[in-house]
Amino acid sequence: MDTSSLVLSTANELYTRSGGAGTDQKNERPPVYKVIGLSLAIASGVFIGSSFVLKKTGLLKANVKYKEEAGEGYGYLKNAFWWSGMTLMIIGEICNFAAYMFADAILVTPLGALSVV
């Protein structure tokens, strides 16, 4: 046997002893984790989407109340709508982060588009 065939046979032996390409699913998480992850991802989309509406409402009301032009001043920091929207956005991002712990990224990432709709 030459050296390259010896290396290939050793690599093949190690590969088969390790369980192959990972088709053995002994370490797979329980299916309920996917449900939890998807629920968290959907909740994240709802929280983030509604936070945009609340923050925009807060900005518009602050502009009217303090007679400011859009994008100027800090009157929105005194507005409860804006703070509610910011709180919902933070909760939504935490839910999104937690969703990645329970479900695969291929399931969670597309649901991020819900926050735009």
Side-chain angles (χ1 to χ4, degrees), residues 7 19 59:
V7 168
L59 287 171

Side-chain angles (χ1 to χ4, degrees), residues 41 44-46 48-49 52 96 100 107-117:
S44 169
V46 170
I48 292 172
F52 290 145
N96 193 28
Y100 282 103
L107 297 174
V108 175
T109 303
L111 292 173
L114 285 177
S115 64
V116 177
V117 175

